[in-house]
Amino acid sequence: MGALEIVLLPCLADNYCVILHEPESGKTAAIDAPSAAAIKAALAERGWRLNELFITHHHTDHTGGIEELKAFYGANVTGPEAEADRIPGLTRAVTEKSALVFAGHPIQVLETPGHTLGHVTYYFPDDGIVFTGDTLFSLGCGKIFEGDPEMMWDSVSKIAALPDKTNIYCGHEYTLNNARFALTIEPENEILKKRAADVEALRAAGKPTLPTTIEFEKATNPFLRPKSRSIQARLGMLGAPASEVFARLRQLKNKA
Ligand code: ZN
Ligand code: FE
């Protein structure tokens, strides 16, 4: 088994699809299907055919391309069992107990509810990559549409517990907006200030801000830092439980 080639493909307004290609087997997978047309064009350019689709959650901006891609390539479609009735074309429903492999690369399924109740995250331990969908973003986290803040805090904490060097790919390019909010919460965080400047430059040049890493997000993402004394002090919540500080941060971000 060879190393995976990774293509980060912008789709729709601000979504990402990530395409994985294993050169020895010639197998190709994609994480989420925002746009069949964009994914088909990216594959055609490289002479690849789609074998596997891994879906993080049921929202249309992650599932809209499934049926056309499945019809065109005959790809398998994997997604969360808890949302099986809301994801068109699903061929394999998974939970945290499911052991998956793509072209010899093991995949762990993490249940990360909160944005939606069935949302899953795909972790490739041998490759050191995690696909967090709309649960954890760079410098932010997903809106809590179906769960509650405690649930979402547990989910982002589960992702944050992965090894520091793990590369993170998420479902949207929201980093610039997230950076501006993060700076209002931790204006004195030097690593965050540097990241915010880098993100401004990357976006001005039309470049993606991903991947990021677990280590980097733990140092800069306010939603992974509700135990920080400076954040607690700024919010007037010194000593409050992490899940309550997290909930307050989410509330402030929703109003930002
Ligand atoms: Zn979503
Ligand atoms: Fe989304």
Side-chain angles (χ1 to χ4, degrees), residues 173-184:
E173 180 57 68
Y174 287 159
T175 318
L176 183 55
N177 179 278
N178 288 342
R180 289 171 181 163
F181 173 75
L183 282 172
T184 68

Side-chain angles (χ1 to χ4, degrees), residues 15 56-62 115-116 119 133-135 137 142-143 145 172 174:
N15 280 80
T56 59
H57 67 292
H58 69 80
H59 287 158
T60 313
D61 62 314
H62 300 254
H115 178 71
T116 65
H119 191 296
D134 288 0
T135 297
F137 295 123
K143 280 196 178 147
F145 287 121
H172 290 268
Y174 287 159

Side-chain angles (χ1 to χ4, degrees), residues 51-68:
N51 305 105
E52 303 287 341
L53 254 176
F54 296 100
I55 303 298
T56 59
H57 67 292
H58 69 80
H59 287 158
T60 313
D61 62 314
H62 300 254
T63 58
I66 293 176
E67 287 183 302
E68 187 179 335

Side-chain angles (χ1 to χ4, degrees), residues 3 9 32 47 52 93 111 122 185 194 213 219 238 250 253-254:
L9 180 70
D32 284 336
E52 303 287 341
E111 290 169 7
Y122 296 99
I185 300 299
K194 166 83 167 63
T213 65
L238 268 177
R250 191 57 261 180
K253 178 67 166 67
N254 289 349

Side-chain angles (χ1 to χ4, degrees), residues 151-174:
M151 188 187 278
M152 192 65 162
W153 167 241
D154 286 346
S155 292
V156 300
S157 299
K158 194 184 277 190
I159 295 168
L162 295 174
D164 275 347
K165 300 301 173 199
T166 307
N167 283 306
I168 302 172
Y169 289 88
C170 53
H172 290 268
E173 180 57 68
Y174 287 159

